[in-house]
Amino acid sequence: MLCTRSYQIEALEKAIKQNTIVFLETGSGKTLIAIMLLRTYAYLLRKPSTYIAVFLVPTVVLVTQQAEAVEMHTDLKVGKYWGEMGVDYWDAATWKQQEDKYEVFVMTPMILLDALRHSFLRLDKIKVLIFDECHNAIGRHPYACIMAEFYHHQLQSNSSQLPRIFGMTASPVKSKGSSSASTFWQHIFDLENLMNSKVVCLSLD
């Protein structure tokens, strides 16, 4: 049984309707919103479906942490992937075995980027694409490359098979030192464009 707050339900409703970046402080339950979104899409993911959801996290520690959260609150089969597992050496057949077995892939972003670049995984087979700490999506970060090289490429080709994008962050701008309000909002605008999403700031009241 999930214990949810009104702002989490509000965020979920927005995420179901459109690509969304949720801006909430640390400890406010962003992961729970992502899990509720996965539960909403579960009927499209359950085997023998060929579709998957991908939950991207920036560190290996978070792979295990977020995978355990998904396993605890859903009945979906969860696969966990990070570099030290030797995934760099996997071939198409090995990835196909993972797709046949698991419904949610929790992984560090370079793994997805490499798998997409080698066509081992296809973006049109991903129904939900979650970015944890999505403020990292700048420059040549794998988050940014996934969106620029694959998502926007398919968006420009008018593909109807695009994943629902859900980003989570406690700080939508990754910067050091002070910056002006105009710079702050430019960063927000850039993040929204790259993620093809709308930033949602919610009240915890």
Side-chain angles (χ1 to χ4, degrees), residues 94-108:
T94 306
W95 279 112
K96 179 66 167 60
Q97 290 173 352
Q98 300 302 305
E99 288 183 285
D100 290 344
K101 186 175 182 179
Y102 297 110
E103 296 151 344
V104 180
F105 289 25
V106 183
M107 58 175 64
T108 47

Side-chain angles (χ1 to χ4, degrees), residues 23-171:
F23 173 28
L24 281 169
E25 63 192 49
T26 301
S28 57
K30 294 184 292 294
T31 298
L32 195 57
I33 302 167
I35 288 169
M36 290 191 293
L37 185 62
L38 289 172
R39 285 170 60 144
T40 302
Y41 276 83
Y43 75 100
L44 294 170
L45 304 173
R46 290 194 181 95
K47 301 306 172 194
S49 169
T50 59
Y51 295 108
I52 59 170
V54 176
F55 196 140
L56 297 176
V57 295
T59 66
V60 174
V61 171
L62 283 171
V63 171
T64 301
Q65 181 179 314
Q66 300 294 49
E68 288 177 351
V70 174
E71 288 173 328
M72 181 181 297
H73 295 295
T74 76
D75 62 353
L76 295 167
K77 300 178 179 69
V78 182
K80 300 180 276 290
Y81 311 92
W82 58 89
E84 288 76 8
M85 292 173 62
V87 292
D88 293 346
Y89 304 103
W90 288 6
D91 58 11
T94 306
W95 279 112
K96 179 66 167 60
Q97 290 173 352
Q98 300 302 305
E99 288 183 285
D100 290 344
K101 186 175 182 179
Y102 297 110
E103 296 151 344
V104 180
F105 289 25
V106 183
M107 58 175 64
T108 47
M110 197 66 215
I111 294 173
L112 178 61
L113 182 58
D114 285 342
L116 290 170
R117 285 173 171 172
H118 288 95
S119 300
F120 296 154
L121 296 177
R122 288 169 38 194
L123 196 69
D124 61 6
K125 289 297 183 181
I126 301 174
K127 281 295 182 186
V128 185
L129 183 52
I130 299 168
F131 293 81
D132 195 4
E133 300 186 14
C134 66
H135 56 272
N136 287 300
I138 55 175
R140 296 299 297 168
H141 188 279
Y143 279 179
C145 292
I146 289 164
M147 292 302 295
E149 293 179 29
F150 295 95
Y151 185 93
H152 283 280
H153 179 75
Q154 286 193 209
L155 184 66
Q156 289 162 9
S157 66
N158 295 316
S159 171
S160 60
Q161 294 288 342
L162 286 168
R164 168 64 73 233
I165 301 295
F166 183 71
M168 303 185 290
T169 179
S171 172

Side-chain angles (χ1 to χ4, degrees), residues 171-195:
S171 172
V173 175
K174 186 175 184 179
S175 62
K176 294 181 179 178
S178 60
S179 61
S180 67
S182 61
T183 302
F184 175 86
W185 288 111
Q186 183 60 49
H187 283 310
I188 296 288
F189 180 74
D190 291 344
L191 183 63
E192 286 184 328
N193 279 343
L194 177 65
M195 303 296 288

